[in-house]
Amino acid sequence: MAGSGWERAGRIACALRWPQRRRRRWRTGAGAGRPLVIARGRPEDGAGELRLGLATPDKRRIGLHVAAEAVADRLDPLPLAEAVESAPQAWRAMLAELVRRAQALGVRPAVYGSLAWQQRTGLAYVRPDSDIDLLFAPRDRRQLDGLLDLLAAMGEGSPRLDGEILLPDGAAVAWRELAGRPDRLLVKGPAEVSLRDLPSVLALFDREDAA
């Protein structure tokens, strides 16, 4: 979702305030009461407009462009701990261990992508070759470094662990890219994608108010 244009799944619209007839057609069709994710806006979008996305189990993606007031509710990021039992049996012990070790660092991992869709809807989104898309929000440099070490140690097994680190300023960066310590990083904000130099990104976690 995040890597292909959908915004991070922490921002989920779960209902739309549409006229009853229109809402009924959506809920009995492609929508069927499923949550939507907020996608990155486009330059031509007006104030108070949102781009929403729906992924289906067969990997189709449906986009909507609505007024912000059409959103009736939002959900917080889905904690990985709540999604473990929705994962394939063979993955559960590893995911539970990841939750335990991340929480020992003081970081609560969240999940988006196919596993989150599967837990939220009860439908079969996860495939044997699916990655697990994770979202972390470390508060300081100690948590960040410990988290990157943990992900480097666990991230190449089955399932493969992908996902993003939320920066203290609200943007996000792929954890794999950050772990590689390149000179410049691709940083995703709510409205734009930009390149930032590594020291400026790490400095966000060194500020006193980042903790």
Side-chain angles (χ1 to χ4, degrees):
M1 290 183 329
S4 54
W6 299 139
E7 191 49 84
R8 293 178 299 283
R11 304 193 183 107
I12 299 179
C14 66
L16 295 174
R17 290 194 185 95
W18 281 345
Q20 183 65 32
R21 184 174 63 181
R22 189 177 180 189
R23 186 166 64 246
R24 185 167 55 249
R25 288 202 305 269
W26 167 256
R27 292 199 169 206
T28 57
R34 300 170 198 169
L36 305 171
V37 296
I38 299 179
R40 185 171 294 107
R42 300 179 184 176
E44 66 269 21
D45 292 348
E49 296 178 351
L50 291 175
R51 299 276 174 174
L52 304 179
L54 169 69
T56 66
D58 60 1
K59 304 302 181 183
R60 288 179 298 142
R61 291 185 175 177
I62 300 168
L64 297 172
H65 185 196
V66 303
E69 60 265 25
V71 177
D73 196 9
R74 297 192 183 197
L75 303 175
D76 290 330
L78 178 65
L80 177 59
E82 295 181 13
V84 169
E85 293 304 311
S86 296
Q89 180 69 41
W91 296 2
R92 293 176 189 174
M94 186 274 276
L95 294 176
E97 177 66 7
L98 175 62
V99 170
R100 186 190 69 78
R101 294 175 65 178
Q103 289 180 339
L105 294 169
V107 179
R108 187 177 76 161
V111 63
Y112 62 99
S114 59
L115 181 56
W117 285 110
Q118 184 155 299
Q119 197 279 339
R120 295 283 196 197
T121 67
L123 300 175
Y125 280 82
V126 176
R127 300 180 179 184
D129 60 349
S130 293
D131 296 336
I132 300 295
D133 297 308
L134 300 167
L135 189 65
F136 302 91
R139 297 188 303 273
D140 55 39
R141 187 68 175 272
R142 179 192 66 80
Q143 288 185 344
L144 175 65
D145 290 343
L147 187 60
L148 291 176
D149 289 343
L150 172 60
L151 291 170
M154 299 187 68
E156 298 301 335
S158 179
R160 186 175 186 268
L161 303 180
D162 276 333
E164 297 182 330
I165 302 290
L166 284 177
L167 305 181
D169 66 0
V173 62
W175 77 259
R176 289 180 178 276
E177 187 172 2
L178 184 56
R181 296 293 201 274
D183 291 337
R184 306 195 73 181
L185 293 160
L186 186 69
V187 177
K188 302 174 184 178
E192 63 182 5
V193 177
S194 62
L195 287 172
R196 298 189 197 176
D197 62 88
L198 177 63
S200 70
V201 171
L202 295 178
L204 294 172
F205 294 96
D206 293 331
R207 298 182 335 208
E208 292 183 5
D209 59 351

